[in-house]
């Protein structure tokens, strides 16, 4: 009996010791480097002081611009994910507008990553619905009330197309000359476009651009690079866009599938889920 009590007492002491385990203890045991400890403590301090945006800034400078040799371990990942979630929850619109290009999506924990990507998909659907309502109702004066950050326009080709289509009709309702704007629209809309309002958009283009000119321009462009946009496959990015082969690929397996971060020069990054492009980051 005494033997079992003694063993139980030792287990309790061990559990208490683990709970009280400090970062310094982990450094002493060789589980953390001193550099990792300093980063974790800095991130914790910023988060606790309500300065989580500084975590995003420091992480971007250290790990995305400078490519620090310090290994990102679970503790760094946890504090970084906490910071990103705090900034995201504080102002979602401002997050996509001001912080998207600074976020290391590869380092985020699965839950935070899924929340941000899921919300971005929801926002795209909302924007498409708002624009669709303007076009369908022909209340083009309402177009000026639609505020879409350039991130969503640049990443989603269909959203870009219907936004330009609605804007042209809004400009027409004001009596503006839209000839040049329609010509620009014909550059991004291929003759085989099958997305939203494809019939109406093609009719508008063909009223202003000769069919053979439109078709020929896209036949020529078929031999050149296509624009980078969400939904492309990794092979399309490699062989059909100007981005081409990345300098480095970071890859991880998660409960949601395979996540990849493609690292390019000039602080540019692409993120893939199971071979499909889901996020684009530039230094702008």
């Amino acid at each position: 009996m005494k033997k079992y009590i003694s063993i139980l007492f030792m287990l309790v002491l061990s559990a208490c010791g683990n709970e009280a385990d400090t970062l310094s203890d982990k450094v002493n045991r060789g589980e953390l480097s001193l550099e990792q400890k300093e980063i974790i403590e800095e991130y914790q301090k910023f988060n606790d002081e309500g300065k989580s945006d500084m975590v995003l800034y420091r992480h971007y400078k250290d790990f995305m611009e400078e490519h620090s040799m310090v290994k990102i371990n679970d503790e760094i990942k946890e504090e970084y994910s906490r910071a990103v979630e705090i900034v995201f929850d504080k102002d979602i619109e401002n997050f996509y507008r001001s912080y998207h290009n600074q976020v290391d999506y590869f380092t985020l924990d699965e839950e935070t990553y899924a929340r941000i990507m899921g919300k971005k998909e929801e926002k795209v659907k909302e924007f498409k619905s708002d624009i669709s309502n303007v076009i369908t109702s022909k209340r083009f004066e309402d177009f000026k009330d639609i505020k879409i950050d350039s991130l969503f326009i640049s990443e989603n080709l269909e959203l870009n197309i219907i936004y330009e289509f609605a804007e042209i009709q809004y400009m027409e309702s004001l009596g503006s000359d839209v000839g040049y704007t329609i010509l620009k629209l014909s550059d991004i809309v291929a003759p085989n476009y099958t997305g939203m309002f494809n019939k109406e958009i093609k009719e508008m283009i063909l009223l202003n651009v000769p069919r053979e000119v439109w078709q020929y321009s896209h036949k020529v462009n078929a031999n050149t690079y296509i624009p980078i946009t969400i939904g492309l496959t990794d092979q399309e990015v490699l062989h059909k866009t100007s981005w081409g082969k990345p300098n480095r690929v970071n890859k991880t397996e998660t409960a949601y599938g395979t996540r990849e971060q493609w690292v390019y020069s000039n602080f540019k990054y692409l993120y893939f889920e199971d071979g499909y492009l889901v996020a684009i980051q530039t230094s702008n």
Side-chain angles (χ1 to χ4, degrees):
M1 183 68 176
K2 289 182 179 181
K3 177 180 178 183
Y4 292 118
I5 293 175
S6 177
I7 292 174
L8 179 62
F9 182 68
M10 291 176 65
L11 289 173
V12 170
L13 285 178
S14 175
C16 292
N18 288 336
E19 289 179 3
D21 218 9
T22 67
L23 295 177
S24 295
D25 293 332
K26 292 183 178 182
V27 171
N28 292 334
R29 292 198 301 268
E31 297 173 7
L32 283 180
S33 69
L34 188 59
E35 292 83 1
Q36 287 172 322
K37 173 179 176 292
E38 291 173 350
I39 291 171
I40 296 165
E41 289 176 337
E42 181 181 49
Y43 286 9
Q44 287 175 339
K45 183 173 183 292
F46 280 137
N47 280 332
D48 294 341
E49 291 178 350
K51 300 177 181 177
S52 297
D53 57 326
M54 286 300 299
V55 175
L56 272 63
Y57 173 77
R58 290 301 301 271
H59 188 94
Y60 176 78
K61 298 295 288 186
D62 292 341
F63 291 100
M64 299 180 75
E65 277 196 348
E66 301 298 332
H67 301 301
S68 170
M69 297 304 292
V70 178
K71 182 181 179 181
I72 298 176
N73 66 349
D74 288 342
E75 286 91 344
I76 293 176
K77 182 176 182 177
E78 180 180 349
E79 284 301 321
Y80 180 70
S81 296
R82 180 160 77 103
V84 171
E85 191 160 25
I86 290 171
V87 173
F88 180 71
D89 289 336
K90 183 178 180 181
D91 189 335
I92 293 175
E93 299 289 345
N94 189 52
F95 175 87
Y96 290 120
R97 179 170 57 252
S98 304
Y99 295 101
H100 167 74
N101 284 328
Q102 293 183 14
V103 175
D104 182 359
Y105 287 108
F106 187 76
T107 294
L108 288 182
D109 63 44
E110 293 179 23
E111 183 178 349
T112 305
Y113 175 84
R115 278 193 64 209
I116 293 174
M117 291 300 173
K119 189 63 179 180
K120 188 169 72 164
E121 290 180 10
E122 288 179 18
K123 296 299 292 182
V124 169
K125 289 179 181 178
E126 288 176 13
F127 291 140
K128 287 182 177 180
S129 177
D130 290 343
I131 296 172
S132 178
N133 289 337
V134 167
I135 296 172
T136 303
S137 67
K138 299 187 183 300
R139 293 179 57 86
F140 298 113
E141 66 274 14
D142 294 341
F143 175 78
K144 63 181 183 299
D145 297 323
I146 299 177
K147 308 298 181 183
I148 305 179
D149 189 82
S150 59
L151 161 68
F152 298 97
I153 295 292
S154 63
E155 282 195 345
N156 192 286
L157 182 59
E158 184 178 52
L159 179 60
N160 186 4
I161 288 172
I162 66 171
Y163 181 87
E164 294 288 341
F165 180 53
E167 185 176 36
I168 288 171
Q169 293 177 90
Y170 169 62
M171 291 169 62
E172 276 186 322
S173 72
L174 299 177
S176 301
D177 182 4
V178 296
Y180 178 70
T181 311
I182 293 176
L183 188 61
K184 286 175 56 181
L185 178 64
S186 72
D187 287 338
I188 63 173
V189 179
N192 61 351
Y193 171 66
T194 58
M196 297 175 69
F197 300 104
N198 62 83
K199 180 181 178 181
E200 295 87 345
I201 292 171
K202 290 177 182 179
E203 287 177 353
M204 173 183 281
I205 291 173
L206 289 172
L207 284 173
N208 294 269
V209 181
R211 182 184 298 273
E212 59 273 14
V213 172
W214 185 33
Q215 291 176 334
Y216 179 75
S217 68
H218 282 275
K219 182 179 180 181
V220 172
N221 291 337
N223 298 319
T224 62
Y225 292 131
I226 63 174
I228 193 81
T229 185
I230 295 301
L232 292 181
T233 67
D234 51 7
Q235 292 303 305
E236 287 174 326
V237 172
L238 277 176
H239 302 297
K240 295 185 178 181
T241 75
S242 61
W243 286 61
K245 185 177 180 181
N247 298 335
R248 187 174 76 253
V249 174
N250 297 318
K251 183 176 181 180
T252 186
E253 299 291 336
T254 75
Y256 298 93
T258 301
R259 190 195 308 175
E260 291 185 356
Q261 178 194 56
W262 289 17
V263 182
Y264 293 83
S265 302
N266 300 318
F267 318 124
K268 298 194 299 183
Y269 299 83
L270 297 178
Y271 295 86
F272 293 83
E273 287 181 14
D274 294 328
Y276 288 90
L277 185 62
V278 295
I280 303 166
Q281 287 178 321
T282 66
S283 56
N284 295 331

